[in-house]
Amino acid sequence: MKKGKLIVFSAPSGSGKTTLVKALLQKNLPLSFSISATSRKPRAGEIDGKDYYFLSAEDFKDKIDREEFVEFEEVYTDKYYGTLKSEIKRNWEAGKHVIFDIDVVGGLNIKSQYPEETLALFIQPPNKAVLEERLRSRGTESEAAMQERIAKAEKELEAAPKFDSIIINDDLDLAIKEVCEKAEHFLKS
Ligand code: 5GP
């Protein structure tokens, strides 16, 4: 298989990583977003095949059995998320490097499977209060789901030192600058 590079963005949900991923994708670099598969339901405005490949839990489990995932996880109860092998292949064959917006365990999994090809970035919110406020301001989750997300986020912060770099997302413009510089340097190396 033709190989490219992989840039992983991992962070607790609410760290602002998606904004940074979008900023990097707008740069004129041969980068393409890895569309994950998930068994959670689409939120308003989300498009199948663009934001995620939305699968039923049954279809997701079939793909697990057929070993179609590079990594997958039950991120929240009954909600599976994973990266399909075909997604990396599709982008590499098209001459693109791949960007991932995935959770911390998934990010470290990609890094351990492709150690040479991967730059793993951890996006850290300035503090826990900001993280909780960002999660709540989305208003898309029930209180129970919110508590689950907050608990997971707090646990994920502990994994930061395992990443190649930690980007503190306090000042957005600075964080974008730092991410773009690191990505460009890595792609040239
Ligand atoms: P959300 O439901 O808010 O879209 O995503 C929930 C969490 O699942 C986020 O932390 C997101 O980064 C993570 N996630 C998305 N895609 C994947 C994936 O392919 N693998 C893993 N392990 N986590 C993912």
Side-chain angles (χ1 to χ4, degrees), residues 18 26 28 41 72 116 122 129 142 144 146 156 166 172 187:
T18 306
Q26 277 170 5
N28 205 9
K41 298 270 176 290
F72 72 90
E116 299 298 317
F122 186 91
S142 67
M146 187 61 62
E156 286 186 324
I166 299 175
L172 183 60
L187 294 179

Side-chain angles (χ1 to χ4, degrees), residues 76-87:
Y76 304 109
T77 313
D78 277 338
K79 289 182 186 131
Y80 291 86
Y81 294 78
T83 306
L84 291 160
K85 290 178 184 166
S86 57
E87 188 63 11

Side-chain angles (χ1 to χ4, degrees), residues 2 6-8 14-15 55 71 87 94 117 124 127 131 147:
K2 190 178 164 192
L6 307 173
I7 302 180
V8 167
S15 303
L55 305 176
E71 61 79 34
E87 188 63 11
E117 294 85 358
Q124 186 159 303
N127 56 55
L131 178 84
Q147 288 304 330

